[in-house]
């Protein structure tokens, strides 16, 4: 998914230490015009920029496609990251400049590695009546961020662990479930479903920091209540996480990873390391794709898309720099 904010903020992200459970509130971001979808963004924000290498979390729906028109995101670029698409309801068609064309449905994962540069489109299918899911980004470490782009799709089998049901779409969890998709840092991404009144002590890697994004609930993470659409953060050092449901069932996404330990600059759909690199990415996108449509540049071309690619926003008047 593209970040369609007209004036995207710059972020230099290096992680922040925290001793307890931190509750991150979402902010609403409209993706386009007055009938467009609205997403709830919990990462990045001033209070926290990264969880492991997870650097962007958008949570949307249930969205009535008859009212909003669903998801129609024209070809747009990415650099230096991986995109992870996970749905609860609906169906989205993905096309990218590697030649990949893949539908994603609930319980399946689309993972696209942008590496040195890619473009892709995302469109909900005509059969979709309600759209509900999450769009996540992973920052690539400096050593791997110029890798050639590629695309993967997988359908993780549900795993029962005590009262919980797990679907691990990135990494591995609890020694019994793992995903085949490739990552470049130690990461975890999983859907967790918990019946009303149930609780689980979930074994986790103590080297990881973790985030719990609540889709249905509320949930309790280590005794801290997390309302629906909020993200709870737990710092490294725990070998298990206690997650509990109240009178309603819980559905949540558990994200985790070893702290990235590198500063990254995020602006629009690009991840780089400094202002000048972001400027160069934008200029290449505008010159090679938006203005001329060449298939031989950094971002390639999305075959099968009839229409224009998404123009980049105007750069801010000041140099992109770290926030205090």
């Amino acid at each position: 998914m593209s970040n369609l904010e007209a004036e995207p903020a710059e972020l230099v992200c290096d992680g922040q230490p925290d001793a307890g459970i931190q509750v991150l509130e979402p902010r609403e971001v409209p993706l386009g015009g007055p009938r467009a979808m609205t997403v709830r963004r919990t990462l990045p924000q001033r209070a926290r920029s990264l969880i492991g290498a997870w650097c962007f979390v958008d949570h949307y729906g249930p969205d009535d496609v008859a009212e909003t028109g669903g998801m129609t995101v024209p070809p747009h670029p990415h650099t230096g990251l991986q995109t992870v698409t996970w749905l609860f309801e609906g169906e989205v068609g993905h096309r990218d400049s590697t030649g990949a064309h893949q539908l994603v449905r609930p319980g399946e994962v689309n993972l696209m590695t942008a590496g040195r540069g890619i473009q892709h489109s995302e469109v909900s299918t005509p059969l979709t009546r309600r759209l509900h899911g999450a769009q996540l980004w992973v920052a690539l470490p400096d050593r791997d961020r110029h890798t050639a782009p590629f695309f993967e799709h997988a359908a993780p089998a549900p795993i029962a662990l005590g009262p919980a049901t797990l679907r691990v779409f990135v990494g591995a969890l609890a020694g019994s479930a793992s995903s085949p998709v490739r990552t470049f840092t130690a990461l975890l991404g999983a859907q967790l479903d918990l019946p009303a009144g149930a609780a689980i002590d979930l074994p986790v890697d103590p080297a990881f920091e973790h985030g719990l994004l609540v889709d249905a609930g509320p949930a309790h993470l280590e005794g801290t209540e997390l309302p629906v659409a909020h993200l709870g953060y737990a710092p490294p050092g725990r070998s298990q996480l206690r997650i509990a449901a109240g009178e309603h069932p819980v559905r949540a996404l558990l994200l985790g990873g070893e702290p990235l330990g590198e500063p990254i600059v995020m602006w629009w759909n690009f991840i780089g390391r400094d202002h000048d690199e972001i400027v160069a990415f934008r200029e290449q996108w505008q010159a090679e794709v938006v203005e001329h449509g060449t298939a031989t540049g950094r971002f390639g071309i999305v075959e099968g898309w009839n229409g224009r690619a998404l123009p980049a926003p105007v750069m801010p008047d000041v140099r992109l720099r770290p926030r205090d």
Side-chain angles (χ1 to χ4, degrees):
M1 181 181 292
S2 175
N3 178 8
L4 298 180
E5 289 181 288
E7 297 182 358
E10 76 275 15
L11 287 174
V12 172
C13 313
D14 55 9
Q16 300 93 343
D18 196 305
I21 301 301
Q22 182 183 25
V23 180
L24 302 175
E25 296 184 1
R27 66 182 179 95
E28 291 191 346
V29 179
L31 297 185
R35 293 184 67 247
M37 289 175 55
T38 295
V39 301
R40 299 173 292 275
R41 185 164 297 162
T42 48
L43 210 66
Q45 56 178 270
R46 291 186 181 277
R48 181 155 302 280
S49 303
L50 292 151
I51 297 177
W54 297 101
C55 61
F56 185 91
V57 176
D58 272 0
H59 176 218
Y60 54 89
D63 180 74
D64 186 345
V65 171
E67 293 183 1
T68 66
M71 181 185 295
T72 302
V73 184
H76 57 278
H78 291 292
T79 59
L81 58 84
Q82 295 177 293
T83 67
V84 179
T85 303
W86 185 258
L87 294 178
F88 304 121
E89 294 180 87
E91 186 178 69
V92 172
H94 164 102
R95 293 179 184 267
D96 69 39
S97 51
T98 72
H101 179 205
Q102 177 69 54
L103 293 178
V104 62
R105 304 176 180 89
E108 303 172 355
V109 62
N110 276 2
L111 187 146
M112 184 186 75
T113 299
R116 63 176 178 251
I118 200 169
Q119 61 166 304
H120 73 133
S121 64
E122 295 162 291
V123 179
S124 51
T125 65
L127 295 178
T128 299
R129 297 293 175 263
R130 280 158 53 101
L131 199 57
H132 186 188
Q135 183 68 37
L136 316 165
W137 295 357
V138 176
L140 293 174
D142 190 60
R143 66 179 182 272
D144 299 307
R145 66 191 183 96
H146 297 295
T147 192
F150 61 94
F151 177 84
E152 297 170 279
H153 175 86
I159 302 294
L161 186 65
T165 301
L166 304 173
R167 291 172 173 83
V168 179
F169 52 84
V170 170
L173 180 63
S176 59
S178 62
S179 171
V181 299
R182 183 182 178 189
T183 62
F184 294 82
T185 56
L187 280 180
L188 166 66
Q191 179 179 322
L192 181 146
D193 291 87
L194 199 59
I200 184 172
D201 292 313
L202 192 62
V204 294
D205 190 329
F208 282 20
E209 49 189 351
H210 290 89
L212 189 72
L213 175 67
V214 181
D215 177 67
H220 289 81
L221 175 62
E222 295 288 301
T224 298
E225 182 172 335
L226 302 178
V228 171
H230 287 58
L231 179 66
Y233 169 81
R238 290 171 167 83
S239 59
Q240 66 177 29
L241 290 173
R242 184 168 183 81
I243 301 170
E247 60 183 52
H248 301 288
V250 164
R251 178 166 62 190
L253 297 184
L254 180 64
L255 308 175
E258 293 182 353
L260 182 63
E262 298 178 11
I264 62 171
V265 179
M266 292 178 60
W267 182 84
W268 194 44
N269 295 311
F270 303 127
I271 291 184
R273 293 302 186 270
D274 57 39
H275 173 93
D276 293 335
E277 192 171 43
I278 297 295
V279 170
F281 291 153
R282 184 193 180 278
E283 289 178 350
Q284 282 184 287
W285 172 251
Q286 291 294 110
E288 295 175 1
V289 179
V290 175
E291 297 173 9
H292 299 295
T294 178
T296 59
R298 175 185 293 273
F299 301 101
I301 193 167
V302 176
E303 300 288 350
W305 178 267
N306 296 317
R308 294 192 65 198
L310 195 66
V314 175
M315 291 289 295
D317 293 332
V318 297
R319 288 184 64 85
L320 306 182
R321 64 184 191 277
R323 292 183 177 185
D324 294 334

